[in-house]
Amino acid sequence: MRKKIVAGNWKMNKTYEEALSLVSEIDNMVKDEVNGDVTVVIAPPFPFLQGVGKLMQGNDKLHLASQNISEHESGAYTGEVSGAMLKSVGTEYVIIGHSERRMYHHEDAQTLYKKMKAALAQGLKPIFCCGEPLEERDAENHFEYVGKQLHDSLSYLSNEEFDQVVVAYEPIWAIGTGRTASSQQAQEMHAYIREQLARTFDAEAAYNTSILYGGSCNPGNAKELFSQEDVDGGLIGGASLKSRDFADIVKSF
Ligand code: PGA
């Protein structure tokens, strides 16, 4: 059975004190209010990983993620953070290929493939992001666009490596814009993604892969999105910065 996952991507927000308060609030809400088998993932900025992770210990629903990873193992790469470093502070998941990294930091398919390998080599679970810009959707080229993203960065992984991968579909036109994909648009893309994965890897592995939706997901639309057959949860940006909103999204299954 595939996991239901709600992941909060805090991006470049919060000071250390604020991050600790936010995770404490989420910890309490998840402990008190969430029944069932939802995996809650929190991705704070790098400097807060250890402190935030410490406060999450003891709550087995909460899991720690980083927002990025270096494709290199170690050495003279000023400003970069390796998989081994992430692992050593208790990180379990890594967001790879977020559209903001692709856009502002010029991460291409080959770099993302290397980052996937770097994460997997350390036993970290990648949350691989894909999603089309508005012009590709308007040109009705969104399936091909996302299919190519999957092919170019994932298809060279082994079946064993692929078993560890979570996919997040985040249409760029929906990120931080308040404009969400309709549940039908999300479902048809998620089904397409699963079909592509089943062609590359084995069908059972593709069936068991969690595919998250991201892009202006909030407490008002999460239930409808998560009720779709191939939507296994969400990657949440803005709404993950407010404990009440985030907890309500977690409770939307
Ligand atoms: P958003 O961001 O929820 O603020 O749209 C989602 C994301 O970028 O992961």
Side-chain angles (χ1 to χ4, degrees), residues 128-132 142-143 145-147 149-150 154 162 166-171 185-201 206-207 209-213 230 232:
F128 178 79
C129 303
C130 56
E132 79 285 357
H142 44 295
F143 291 116
Y145 189 91
V146 169
Q149 288 182 319
L150 296 172
L154 300 188
F162 175 67
V166 173
V167 174
Y169 169 58
E170 301 203 303
Q185 286 173 323
Q187 168 56 29
E188 62 181 15
M189 182 59 89
H190 283 224
Y192 171 81
I193 290 170
R194 203 178 299 287
E195 201 181 288
Q196 297 307 304
L197 297 174
R199 283 189 194 175
T200 312
F201 304 100
Y207 179 80
T209 301
S210 300
I211 305 178
L212 316 183
Y213 169 78
D230 289 289
D232 307 307

Side-chain angles (χ1 to χ4, degrees), residues 1-203:
M1 265 307 286
R2 53 194 189 237
K3 272 188 196 154
K4 295 172 185 166
I5 300 174
V6 177
N9 173 11
W10 291 0
K11 307 191 181 182
M12 198 174 74
N13 290 294
K14 306 286 178 191
T15 61
Y16 188 52
E17 302 259 295
E18 290 166 350
L20 295 183
S21 307
L22 178 57
V23 75
S24 303
E25 289 166 20
I26 292 169
D27 177 33
N28 286 328
M29 289 176 184
V30 166
K31 232 184 255 160
D32 295 344
E33 304 171 16
V34 177
N35 303 312
D37 55 349
V38 187
T39 297
V40 181
V41 176
I42 295 186
F46 282 140
F48 308 159
L49 279 168
Q50 194 172 11
V52 165
K54 266 204 181 118
L55 291 184
M56 290 167 31
Q57 279 167 8
N59 185 340
D60 58 11
K61 281 200 163 58
L62 297 184
H63 301 262
L64 189 64
S66 65
Q67 300 173 17
N68 187 21
I69 182 174
S70 170
E71 67 266 41
H72 303 291
E73 217 176 293
S74 66
Y77 299 102
T78 302
E80 292 292 295
V81 177
S82 74
M85 293 172 186
L86 294 171
K87 187 80 184 170
S88 71
V89 294
T91 309
E92 255 184 88
Y93 290 83
V94 185
I95 299 173
I96 293 178
H98 192 283
S99 59
E100 288 151 15
R101 303 263 353 143
R102 293 178 190 256
M103 228 181 317
Y104 307 137
H105 302 276
H106 314 293
E107 293 187 359
D108 60 13
Q110 182 62 17
T111 304
L112 297 178
Y113 169 69
K114 289 185 192 157
K115 289 187 176 219
M116 295 293 292
K117 294 291 280 186
L120 290 161
Q122 289 297 328
L124 296 160
K125 300 182 188 97
I127 300 176
F128 178 79
C129 303
C130 56
E132 79 285 357
L134 187 57
E135 57 273 22
E136 298 292 340
R137 169 125 333 228
D138 286 345
E140 293 181 11
N141 194 39
H142 44 295
F143 291 116
E144 289 80 355
Y145 189 91
V146 169
K148 185 164 165 37
Q149 288 182 319
L150 296 172
H151 172 270
D152 291 353
S153 298
L154 300 188
S155 62
Y156 307 103
L157 301 178
S158 68
N159 279 310
E160 293 69 37
E161 288 173 324
F162 175 67
D163 281 345
Q164 303 305 311
V165 175
V166 173
V167 174
Y169 169 58
E170 301 203 303
I172 296 172
W173 46 272
I175 296 178
T177 58
R179 181 178 165 193
T180 321
S182 69
S183 53
Q184 190 199 337
Q185 286 173 323
Q187 168 56 29
E188 62 181 15
M189 182 59 89
H190 283 224
Y192 171 81
I193 290 170
R194 203 178 299 287
E195 201 181 288
Q196 297 307 304
L197 297 174
R199 283 189 194 175
T200 312
F201 304 100
D202 64 69

